[in-house]
Amino acid sequence: MEARHWPVYDLRVRTPRLELRLPVLTELDALAELAADGVHDPAVMPFTVPWTDAGPEEVARSVMQYHWRTLGASTPADWVLPLGVFLDGEIVGTQELSARHFAVLREVHTGSWLGRRYQGRGIGTEMRAAVLHLAFAGLGAETARSAAMSDNTVSLAVSRKLGYRPDGTALLAPRGRPAVEQRLVLSRADWSAQRSVPVEVEGLARCRALLGLAGAADG
């Protein structure tokens, strides 16, 4: 059954192992539980906002509230796609794609997290490759931006593998202490040169107006 008034629910992005799509309520609840079980070593803070420092129940609720808040506040000029990442039908993390004034700027931002028990298996690279294909091949993006704390070696390695280049740093204080954020940028040319993950997109044409684009496209 099609989601006539919010067609993003029919969007599917698939790689050899993964499917990215918006989760339904029971899947969102499972995602919240996954976050409550832990996303990273408590000794470090890989996020600019330390949302994982709260207790398990609060972390779980915050995941659900963030999903609803970002999705509900999205407009064609300022949108967020908080896509669930599914492996063999089980939700294992989230991969976000967002943009402001995309029709003019042709620029997107990405962010993600993965449940700890699914880390170290190349899933992070594959799910980012999936949304980059959505952005560049599907939507016609010219630039993608990301960021990671300077000590988040895994995230930075994923970015390098996918062709991102350093784009300056920022000094932040996610736990009340100085921390350096490495900013990264990926051009269309660098994405095209590094793409190695096959990706299929389904249901994109009906989403274009919600993402600030007019007219239909493949998918």
Side-chain angles (χ1 to χ4, degrees), residues 1 5 10 13-14 37 51 53 56 59-60 76 96 103 117 120 124 131 133 135 139 144 154 156 170 182 201 210 219:
M1 177 175 153
H5 302 296
D10 297 323
V13 185
R14 299 186 181 94
D37 286 342
W51 60 275
D53 279 351
V59 167
E96 184 174 286
R117 62 180 177 267
V131 291
H133 180 96
L139 297 175
V154 173
L156 292 172
Q182 175 66 60
V201 179
L210 289 178

Side-chain angles (χ1 to χ4, degrees), residues 201-215:
V201 179
E202 176 185 323
L204 179 58
R206 294 179 57 244
C207 301
R208 290 174 62 82
L210 289 178
L211 303 178
L213 297 173

Side-chain angles (χ1 to χ4, degrees), residues 180-203:
V180 176
E181 179 188 58
Q182 175 66 60
R183 294 176 176 175
L184 303 144
V185 62
L186 178 66
S187 68
R188 168 177 283 276
D190 287 339
W191 164 76
S192 183
Q194 295 293 330
R195 51 191 302 199
S196 60
V197 177
V199 182
E200 296 180 355
V201 179
E202 176 185 323

Side-chain angles (χ1 to χ4, degrees), residues 25 28-30 32 59-69:
L25 181 58
L28 182 59
D29 195 66
V59 167
R61 283 195 300 270
S62 73
V63 168
M64 301 186 77
Q65 289 176 308
Y66 177 81
H67 179 89
W68 292 324
R69 182 169 63 249

Side-chain angles (χ1 to χ4, degrees), residues 102-121:
F102 181 77
V104 176
L105 302 178
R106 297 288 170 162
E107 180 175 277
V108 297
H109 295 253
T110 63
S112 65
W113 62 263
L114 193 62
R116 289 191 77 177
R117 62 180 177 267
Y118 300 104
Q119 296 173 14
R121 297 161 58 178

Side-chain angles (χ1 to χ4, degrees), residues 80-147:
V80 180
L81 292 178
L83 301 173
V85 179
F86 294 83
L87 174 68
D88 298 326
E90 182 177 3
I91 195 162
V92 299
T94 184
Q95 176 67 65
E96 184 174 286
L97 185 71
S98 63
R100 290 184 177 180
H101 307 296
F102 181 77
V104 176
L105 302 178
R106 297 288 170 162
E107 180 175 277
V108 297
H109 295 253
T110 63
S112 65
W113 62 263
L114 193 62
R116 289 191 77 177
R117 62 180 177 267
Y118 300 104
Q119 296 173 14
R121 297 161 58 178
I123 296 173
T125 300
E126 197 166 324
M127 66 199 220
R128 182 123 52 108
V131 291
L132 290 174
H133 180 96
L134 173 63
F136 286 109
L139 297 175
E142 294 296 332
T143 308
R145 295 186 183 275
S146 187

